[in-house]
Amino acid sequence: MASIKRFKFKLTTEQLLEMLYWLKLIRAFDERLSVLVRQGRVRSGVYSSIGQEAIIVGSCFGLEKDDYICPLHRDLGSFLMKGVSPGVMMAQMYAKATGLSKGRDSALHSGVPELGIFGNTSMLGANTPVAAGIALTFKLEQRRNVVLAYFGEGAANTGDVHEAMNVAAVHKLPVVFICENNIYAYSVPIEKSMAIEDVADRAEAYGFDGVSINGNDVLAVYQAAQGAIARARSGEGPTLIECKTYRWHGHSEHDPAFYRTDEELAMWKSRDPLTTFTTYLRHRQMLSDEILLEIDQRVVKEIDEAVAFAESSPDPDPSEAATDMLA
Ligand SMILES: Cc1ncc(C[n+]2csc(CCOP(=O)(O)OP(=O)(O)O)c2C)c(N)n1
């Protein structure tokens, strides 16, 4: 496998604590959503990212406003990191008039062009050629922005992903392909959909670097993403980063995930990205009890306020159902 050039991107204590805040906020957002689904409050399908948060936090951290992300159904946290408030995001899941798509879709397809977010596509993998297209625009307009294209290991086997990687390689486009390999595509384990172990191995065949990393280690993701982003910004083209991870919940909140064992889940829970990072910060004397409490209280407050905002927001007005439609 080709190897990524090694850089060490330094972070201050303040930035590391900010990363912890994002990990906790995204975890808390998804945990609350999970409860709200069971209470019948949420109108959207919910595809929990619990267990996978380090991928979004490590890759989105430090992105510029005009950089673009093309997230997955599981990546609500990337919307928050790109600047959507938790309240608006929660209202989106409630399909309220104050949500991103004002209650006009099933909540998961909304994009925010002014924040550099391409709404995710139901056809898995179809977001990656779009990412390559956005990156081509950046190149033609000589902008130094990058695009992060997320996809699962299941989507990695679609033709769209092949075409996107090929065209990005040929034109040296500023795109970082980020595979969230959580081992299952719905109920299908990876060994039933791929004959190789690492999705990252495929990059070499397209002519760029690929690396397979611990997707539960936020700093490993950050280092790999920063290296790939720096190369993309300087005109060196795409990189594929495969993040090995695991989703703690089912494919969606309506999936009890009977296809996996309790032992497997317990093993992955012992690799919790939040616990690992908290322990690391403690070890380095960067995280006191007071700071931890402060972050936890801030997160609870923000999630409570987000739910209150969504609950008190109006439902969409039926007379506006066709407003903003293109055709
Ligand atoms: C092209 C396409 N094929 C099948 C589906 C149905 N489908 C929805 S989610 C899913 C599993 C996706 O697995 P993966 O790409 O690994 O992402 P994950 O949900 O595990 O994050 C499938 C097969 C789809 N939406 N699009």
Side-chain angles (χ1 to χ4, degrees), residues 51-302:
Q52 304 191 187
E53 300 91 342
I55 301 172
I56 288 302
V57 176
S59 56
C60 287
F61 196 83
L63 277 185
E64 295 173 11
K65 187 174 158 284
D66 292 333
D67 293 331
Y68 240 90
I69 57 169
C70 298
L72 285 182
H73 45 289
R74 218 172 282 296
D75 296 335
L76 300 185
S78 66
F79 284 70
L80 302 177
M81 290 195 74
K82 250 335 208 132
V84 176
S85 76
V88 170
M89 204 61 220
M90 196 58 86
Q92 173 72 359
M93 304 312 287
Y94 273 66
K96 292 292 185 87
T98 51
L100 294 172
S101 47
K102 304 172 190 164
R104 290 191 201 120
D105 81 346
S106 69
L108 291 172
H109 304 99
S110 184
V112 192
E114 56 279 17
L115 293 175
I117 305 171
F118 175 73
N120 81 70
T121 52
S122 272
M123 295 308 294
L124 296 175
N127 61 332
T128 57
V130 177
I134 299 168
L136 179 61
T137 306
F138 287 159
K139 185 175 175 176
L140 293 175
E141 293 182 353
Q142 298 182 348
R143 288 161 59 181
R144 58 181 295 284
N145 292 111
V146 296
V147 187
L148 305 191
Y150 298 89
F151 56 101
E153 85 291 343
N157 301 318
T158 62
D160 274 344
V161 174
H162 163 72
E163 291 178 32
M165 289 196 185
N166 189 55
V167 79
V170 169
H171 297 284
K172 284 199 178 301
L173 301 180
V175 51
V176 183
F177 294 101
I178 300 178
C179 179
E180 303 186 22
N181 182 352
N182 60 15
I183 312 180
Y184 290 94
Y186 212 124
S187 57
V188 180
I190 188 162
E191 64 273 14
K192 293 221 165 108
S193 65
M194 279 175 50
I196 57 172
E197 199 145 301
D198 296 325
V199 176
D201 285 352
R202 294 180 179 171
E204 195 173 358
Y206 296 111
F208 54 87
D209 284 347
V211 68
S212 185
I213 62 169
N214 176 359
N216 282 13
D217 177 346
V218 69
L219 294 179
V221 178
Y222 178 74
Q223 294 296 333
Q226 286 299 303
I229 289 169
R231 287 147 45 93
R233 287 201 205 285
S234 62
E236 290 178 60
T239 304
L240 168 59
I241 301 171
E242 176 189 12
C243 302
K244 306 267 195 196
T245 189
Y246 197 81
R247 55 167 163 75
W248 292 8
H249 288 201
H251 171 70
S252 65
E253 291 295 322
H254 57 258
D255 167 26
F258 291 139
Y259 44 83
R260 65 186 188 187
T261 63
D262 291 345
E263 289 75 17
E264 183 180 278
L265 177 59
M267 192 278 283
W268 279 96
K269 281 191 171 177
S270 74
R271 300 179 182 178
D272 179 0
L274 271 72
T275 311
T276 315
F277 191 51
T278 305
T279 307
Y280 167 83
L281 293 174
R282 288 270 203 199
H283 235 74
R284 298 203 52 193
Q285 323 284 332
M286 289 171 162
L287 184 62
S288 62
D289 290 344
E290 293 72 39
I291 297 173
L292 191 58
L293 185 66
E294 218 172 89
I295 296 174
D296 284 339
Q297 285 175 341
R298 180 178 163 200
V299 164
V300 171
K301 183 168 176 285
E302 287 181 24

